[in-house]
Amino acid sequence: MPSSPSETAYAKDLHERIRREFPELRIYRLWDKPVGPHPTAMFEVNTFDPHQTGAFFSWLAVHRGPLSVLIHPNTDNPHRDHTDSAIWMGKPWPLNVDILKPKEAPGAFN
């Protein structure tokens, strides 16, 4: 929650800690504003195999503090990834998933 100085500080510290403790993961920048379907500040971390995923998610369960974490796959269907296939650690946030819906081809029938 960007309006909470303590949560913002926690997120910055967590982001840096993840970068130090999990250098094998892809850690993206910390956004201080909504990005894509996300309604608040966020950052993204990608894992690449089941071992990394298990180790990182177990670590997050202990160290995420007051922050909410959206966990989802990255497939060719971002709408499904952020809805049916997503799970949350902490309080779920409402996402703007309409922007993730596939665009219909011109002339397509519903």
Side-chain angles (χ1 to χ4, degrees):
M1 176 81 74
S3 62
S4 168
S6 63
E7 284 189 22
T8 298
Y10 196 95
K12 288 177 181 177
D13 291 345
L14 184 67
H15 184 261
E16 184 56 35
R17 189 167 175 196
I18 292 167
R19 293 174 62 79
R20 282 193 322 268
E21 294 189 31
F22 294 92
E24 69 279 12
L25 304 183
R26 183 174 297 145
I27 301 117
Y28 293 87
R29 69 174 279 194
L30 175 61
W31 291 92
D32 60 358
K33 62 182 181 183
V35 175
H38 307 279
T40 189
M42 54 80 76
F43 62 90
E44 179 180 347
V45 179
N46 294 153
T47 62
F48 302 102
D49 63 49
H51 174 75
Q52 289 177 343
T53 302
F56 182 58
F57 291 175
S58 298
W59 184 90
L60 269 179
V62 173
H63 299 286
R64 70 174 177 79
L67 307 179
S68 294
V69 177
L70 171 62
I71 300 167
H72 68 79
N74 287 316
T75 70
D76 61 353
N77 188 331
H79 185 267
R80 183 182 57 223
D81 293 347
H82 286 77
T83 56
D84 296 336
S85 299
I87 59 173
W88 285 88
M89 284 186 197
K91 175 189 171 209
W93 285 83
L95 302 176
N96 180 11
V97 294
D98 288 343
I99 67 172
L100 300 174
K101 288 183 180 174
K103 306 275 189 264
E104 289 190 26
F109 296 100
N110 292 342

